Every structure is written in C-alpha cells, then in structure tokens.
Amino acid sequence: MTRISPTILRLCLLAACLVAGASPAFADLRMCNTTGSRVGVAIGYRDAQGWTTEGWWNLSPRGCETLLRGTLAARFYYVHAVDYDKGGEWTGKSVMCTRNKEFTIRGIEDCLARGFDRAGFFEVDTGEQKSWTIQLTDTTGNAPQRP
C-alpha cells in the first residue's frame, strides 16, 4: 500500500475545496427574453416591508438578465414588460406603480396621487423555489398586447 504524505494530502484537500467553491449555487430571479425585440421589464413583489415595484431592466433580443440576486423572498412575483421595437406590452390584472425612468417604489396604493404611473402586472408563481427563471415570449399565453 502506498503511503501519501500529509503535505500532499493537505494540498489535495485544499484543491478540492477550491474547486467546490468555484461553482457556487445560484439562487436568483432571472428573466429571459425569447423574442426578437428589445424589451423593458419592471417587477413587483411583496417582502417583509410590504409591496415593492422596481424597473427598468433592458433585455436584448434573446437575452437574459438577473432581476433579483439571492434566495427568493416571495412565492409570487409580478411582471410588466414593454416591447420597445414592435410596440405593445405584457400586462396583467395586478395594478402597481411604475414610472418612465429607473425606479424602486415602496407601496402599490395611490400611485397617481404620489406622482407615479399605474400599470398592470401579470403574476408569476415560483412555487416557493429558491430560484426561478421567467421566459418572456411572443407566443400565445405570454404575448404582448398590441395597441
């Protein structure tokens, strides 16, 4: 039987730890734009402090972006997206606050009175997963509503 020196054993264990640490587990909320258009995205969610809406992320055609980093804090997230190239938007029944430029808005009540716009958001059920990727498509079921 071959005997391995303690120094070589320590180096092998250190290398194994470094390799294991090089591939961390990701837990994020991501959005992938599977359309051929540039898209602007806003999200809404409820956390320990209440409702928040955030935007805008600009997604290139067939591109993906991380919207929130870390383990998801909620089961349901809400999305409003705008097709910059063809017009139209992805909307839903949940009304939340937005604005035309980059924003983080606390609360979803009295949007207009507080100087914000109102927009419809569609619901995404993550099933309480730690991470989730939303696929934004232009096919039936997730297609933008054209004016």
Side-chain angles (χ1 to χ4, degrees), residues 73-135:
R75 175 177 177 171
F76 296 100
Y77 289 84
Y78 298 83
V79 177
H80 177 85
V82 177
D83 186 320
Y84 292 140
D85 297 329
K86 296 179 184 170
E89 53 192 10
W90 290 261
T91 66
K93 296 178 183 177
S94 299
V95 177
M96 299 184 182
C97 304
T98 64
R99 64 189 306 188
N100 286 335
K101 57 185 179 179
E102 185 176 326
F103 67 90
T104 298
I105 301 170
R106 293 305 254 157
I108 58 173
E109 66 288 328
D110 303 320
C111 298
L112 299 175
R114 296 190 297 149
F116 302 120
D117 299 318
R118 290 170 30 120
F121 286 65
F122 68 87
E123 183 177 270
V124 175
D125 183 352
T126 67
E128 298 183 0
Q129 297 295 314
K130 293 180 182 178
S131 63
W132 194 264
T133 299
I134 303 164
Q135 300 288 332

Side-chain angles (χ1 to χ4, degrees), residues 54-77:
E54 295 184 53
W56 294 95
W57 287 267
N58 295 308
L59 279 69
S60 59
R62 293 171 186 58
C64 296
E65 291 287 334
T66 299
L67 306 182
L68 298 172
R69 296 199 182 280
T71 301
L72 300 182
R75 175 177 177 171
F76 296 100
Y77 289 84

